[in-house]
Amino acid sequence: MEWSLRTDLPIYSQLVEQIRLAIVSGKLHPGEKIASVRDLASEAGVNPNTMQRALQELEREGMVFAQRTSGRYVTEELQIIEKAKVVLAEKQVQAFLITMQNLGYSSEEVINLLQSRKETKDVNS
Amino acid sequence: MEWSLRTDLPIYSQLVEQIRLAIVSGKLHPGEKIASVRDLASEAGVNPNTMQRALQELEREGMVFAQRTSGRYVTEELQIIEKAKVVLAEKQVQAFLITMQNLGYSSEEVINLLQSRKETKDVNS
Amino acid sequence: MEWSLRTDLPIYSQLVEQIRLAIVSGKLHPGEKIASVRDLASEAGVNPNTMQRALQELEREGMVFAQRTSGRYVTEELQIIEKAKVVLAEKQVQAFLITMQNLGYSSEEVINLLQSRKETKDVNS
Amino acid sequence: MEWSLRTDLPIYSQLVEQIRLAIVSGKLHPGEKIASVRDLASEAGVNPNTMQRALQELEREGMVFAQRTSGRYVTEELQIIEKAKVVLAEKQVQAFLITMQNLGYSSEEVINLLQSRKETKDVNS
DNA sequence: GTGGTCTAGACCACA
DNA sequence: GTGGTCTAGACCACA
């Protein structure tokens, strides 16, 4: 996995977000084994405790589950993943619209922009 | 200004990006004086050399200009700011669509999502 | 508060249990301010991080809430406390019956025991 | 044997209590040989002197007896065990009722709770 | 002072 | 080796 950490949010919550994204976008598959806490932590360049906290939060959400000695796995309950996907998409839309409004674009202008962009692409393809 | 630095991109280019966004979104006004390199650097928690480099890049773009003795100022040429805004918006749209596609949403679905969201909001307001 | 820690369960979960009991049994009142993490930790003889973890769990349950700089408080939502009370009572009953069964008493015998005990007391009072 | 020690009571008396419980609940059988003081102490994570003191107390009660060279054994006098069982059960009931009263349940409510619980179980089985 | 976050490092049970 | 727990100690923002 590739990790990107920012300075303005708690690390553990960014880890949660990124692992969740990996699951929701299918980079980690349902039932797939996840690397060990220690490995993930060294990969992301954070303390194992911080990674542990992120994974426990994901467990609480039902996105992953731990098996005592063998490691952690992505959930196999697809409806949990699907629901997380919808929530995440909603958040992305929200954040995008706020950014665009800061740039001076109304919702309507944003939609027009996407629409015209799509049409250009449709014609070209 | 609030700064948010990520681990996966060169710092100086992120500084450029964020100052540009501040100008384009109107948080820094045309003709407004910009804080000193030293102050900006300490605020952002980066090396003054890195901040210096970012400001020089912005000067090259015409977004800011330096006056020998009194410091740096946001450009007063509105068409430069306007053009940067369009470029930035385009980048945001691009990034947003890629993220949404990773979540499994086609351009059309994204547009529909925005559309229905807007309508809900219109009705409520 | 008086703390009693056992060797056979994680400390943090015992802390959760004991604070919950204090709230549910009315030793800590709705809306009452709770001692600081550091004070509670030193009182209980545990590391502040362990106490912090317990309090965050209680926050997640809605039993307490934190106010950024002023401290933590017992929830004022009585129905949360009431519900926790029912759950706790149920657990106590469960544990009690198991203990008694280990001593060879059936549910019926336990009830008879309590019944006759109550009658004796009623007569004496 | 599994040991659980608390911080708020003398260790030796907790050891007495737990060994007595093991005998009374049949986990240790009449006439059965008991592990050595040294082994029991290391298992429970206590000082051998403390375990020794616990076993001497149990000897005084007649729950166990020592044979010069071969070690200690659980008593074979069943009436001693039976009597200890009654005393222990009485203590459990007492403690349970106090806990429940702290939760706001009267003796009568407790009995009703157990009664309804039993009926539910009877119906389901 | 307060809650919150993070790191470093240790120890544990489980299989 | 794996997840889980705990401690010691540091630093941060907030007011």
Side-chain angles (χ1 to χ4, degrees):
Chain A
M1 250 182 102
E2 289 171 17
W3 302 91
S4 163
L5 297 175
R6 305 187 304 171
T7 52
D8 60 343
L9 285 179
I11 295 176
Y12 82 92
S13 66
Q14 296 182 57
L15 298 176
V16 167
E17 200 66 22
Q18 289 179 38
I19 299 170
R20 188 157 45 207
L21 181 60
I23 294 173
V24 152
S25 65
K27 278 163 203 158
L28 289 174
H29 303 89
E32 182 177 346
K33 185 172 182 184
I34 299 173
S36 77
V37 172
R38 288 157 176 78
D39 286 356
L40 286 173
S42 92
E43 195 184 72
V46 301
N47 186 283
N49 288 327
T50 306
M51 185 57 81
Q52 172 85 349
R53 181 172 179 182
L55 289 166
Q56 281 174 341
E57 170 64 24
L58 288 162
E59 247 178 87
R60 225 172 281 125
E61 298 177 10
M63 297 290 289
V64 309
F65 62 94
Q67 247 167 4
R68 287 234 132 253
T69 55
S70 78
R72 278 198 182 77
Y73 299 82
V74 176
T75 183
E76 286 168 333
E77 299 182 50
L78 300 184
Q79 82 274 20
I80 289 183
I81 296 177
E82 189 55 37
K83 202 181 162 194
K85 182 187 292 195
V86 172
V87 171
L88 227 164
E90 190 53 36
K91 269 200 226 163
Q92 292 293 337
V93 168
Q94 174 84 18
F96 172 64
L97 286 178
I98 288 174
T99 304
M100 293 302 282
Q101 269 160 32
N102 281 338
L103 291 180
Y105 292 81
S106 70
S107 295
E108 201 162 351
E109 287 170 322
V110 169
I111 292 171
N112 288 341
L113 222 158
L114 287 172
Q115 192 73 53
S116 66
R117 182 192 175 90
K118 182 174 171 296
E119 279 159 14
T120 313
K121 208 175 142 200
D122 287 352
V123 169
N124 290 345
S125 64
Chain B
M1 241 181 111
E2 289 172 17
W3 301 90
S4 164
L5 297 174
R6 306 191 310 174
T7 52
D8 60 345
L9 288 177
I11 292 177
Y12 98 95
S13 67
Q14 296 181 59
L15 298 176
V16 168
E17 198 69 19
Q18 288 179 40
I19 299 170
R20 189 156 49 206
L21 180 61
I23 295 171
V24 153
S25 65
K27 277 166 205 159
L28 290 174
H29 302 88
E32 181 177 347
K33 184 167 185 191
I34 297 173
S36 75
V37 169
R38 194 169 293 247
D39 286 357
L40 286 173
S42 99
E43 197 183 69
V46 302
N47 190 292
N49 292 330
T50 309
M51 185 58 81
Q52 173 76 359
R53 186 173 168 192
L55 288 166
Q56 282 171 346
E57 168 64 22
L58 288 161
E59 261 180 70
R60 221 171 290 125
E61 297 177 11
M63 296 291 289
V64 309
F65 63 94
Q67 251 172 1
R68 281 292 154 119
T69 53
S70 71
R72 281 198 181 76
Y73 298 82
V74 175
T75 184
E76 287 168 332
E77 301 183 49
L78 300 185
Q79 82 278 16
I80 289 184
I81 295 177
E82 190 54 37
K83 199 179 164 197
K85 182 187 292 194
V86 173
V87 172
L88 227 165
E90 189 53 35
K91 268 199 223 164
Q92 293 293 337
V93 170
Q94 175 83 17
F96 172 64
L97 287 178
I98 287 173
T99 304
M100 292 302 282
Q101 268 160 33
N102 280 338
L103 291 181
Y105 291 82
S106 69
S107 296
E108 200 162 351
E109 287 170 322
V110 169
I111 291 169
N112 288 340
L113 223 158
L114 288 171
Q115 194 73 53
S116 67
R117 184 193 174 87
K118 182 175 171 298
E119 279 159 15
T120 313
K121 210 175 141 197
D122 288 351
V123 169
N124 290 343
S125 64
Chain C
M1 248 182 103
E2 288 171 19
W3 302 91
S4 162
L5 297 174
R6 303 187 305 170
T7 52
D8 60 344
L9 284 178
I11 294 175
Y12 82 93
S13 65
Q14 296 182 58
L15 298 176
V16 168
E17 200 66 22
Q18 289 178 38
I19 299 170
R20 188 157 45 207
L21 180 61
I23 295 172
V24 153
S25 64
K27 279 165 204 160
L28 290 173
H29 302 90
E32 181 177 347
K33 184 168 183 188
I34 299 172
S36 77
V37 173
R38 288 158 174 79
D39 286 356
L40 284 173
S42 94
E43 195 183 72
V46 302
N47 187 283
N49 287 329
T50 305
M51 186 58 79
Q52 173 85 348
R53 183 171 177 182
L55 288 166
Q56 282 175 342
E57 171 62 26
L58 288 162
E59 249 178 87
R60 225 173 281 125
E61 297 178 10
M63 297 288 291
V64 308
F65 62 93
Q67 247 166 4
R68 286 236 132 251
T69 54
S70 78
R72 278 199 181 78
Y73 300 82
V74 176
T75 185
E76 287 168 333
E77 300 183 47
L78 300 185
Q79 83 275 20
I80 289 183
I81 295 177
E82 189 55 35
K83 202 177 163 197
K85 182 188 292 195
V86 172
V87 171
L88 227 164
E90 189 54 36
K91 269 199 224 163
Q92 293 293 338
V93 169
Q94 175 85 17
F96 171 63
L97 286 178
I98 288 172
T99 304
M100 293 302 281
Q101 267 160 34
N102 281 337
L103 291 180
Y105 292 81
S106 69
S107 295
E108 202 161 349
E109 287 170 322
V110 169
I111 292 171
N112 289 339
L113 222 157
L114 287 171
Q115 193 72 52
S116 66
R117 184 193 175 89
K118 183 175 171 296
E119 279 159 15
T120 312
K121 208 174 143 199
D122 287 352
V123 169
N124 290 343
S125 63
Chain D
M1 240 182 110
E2 289 172 16
W3 302 90
S4 164
L5 297 173
R6 308 192 306 175
T7 52
D8 59 345
L9 288 178
I11 294 178
Y12 98 94
S13 67
Q14 296 182 58
L15 298 177
V16 167
E17 198 70 17
Q18 288 178 39
I19 298 170
R20 189 156 45 205
L21 180 61
I23 294 172
V24 154
S25 65
K27 278 165 202 158
L28 290 174
H29 302 87
E32 182 177 346
K33 184 169 186 189
I34 298 172
S36 74
V37 169
R38 193 169 295 248
D39 286 357
L40 285 173
S42 97
E43 196 184 69
V46 300
N47 189 291
N49 292 329
T50 309
M51 185 57 81
Q52 172 78 0
R53 184 172 169 193
L55 288 166
Q56 282 170 346
E57 168 65 22
L58 288 161
E59 260 180 71
R60 221 169 291 125
E61 298 177 9
M63 297 290 289
V64 309
F65 63 93
Q67 251 173 0
R68 282 291 155 121
T69 53
S70 70
R72 281 198 181 77
Y73 297 82
V74 176
T75 183
E76 288 168 331
E77 300 182 49
L78 300 186
Q79 82 277 17
I80 289 184
I81 295 177
E82 190 53 37
K83 199 181 164 194
K85 182 187 292 194
V86 172
V87 171
L88 228 165
E90 189 53 35
K91 270 199 222 163
Q92 293 293 336
V93 169
Q94 175 84 16
F96 172 63
L97 286 178
I98 287 172
T99 303
M100 293 302 281
Q101 268 160 32
N102 280 338
L103 291 180
Y105 291 81
S106 68
S107 295
E108 199 161 352
E109 286 170 323
V110 169
I111 291 171
N112 287 340
L113 223 159
L114 288 171
Q115 193 74 53
S116 68
R117 184 192 175 89
K118 183 175 171 297
E119 277 160 16
T120 313
K121 211 175 143 199
D122 287 352
V123 169
N124 290 344
S125 64

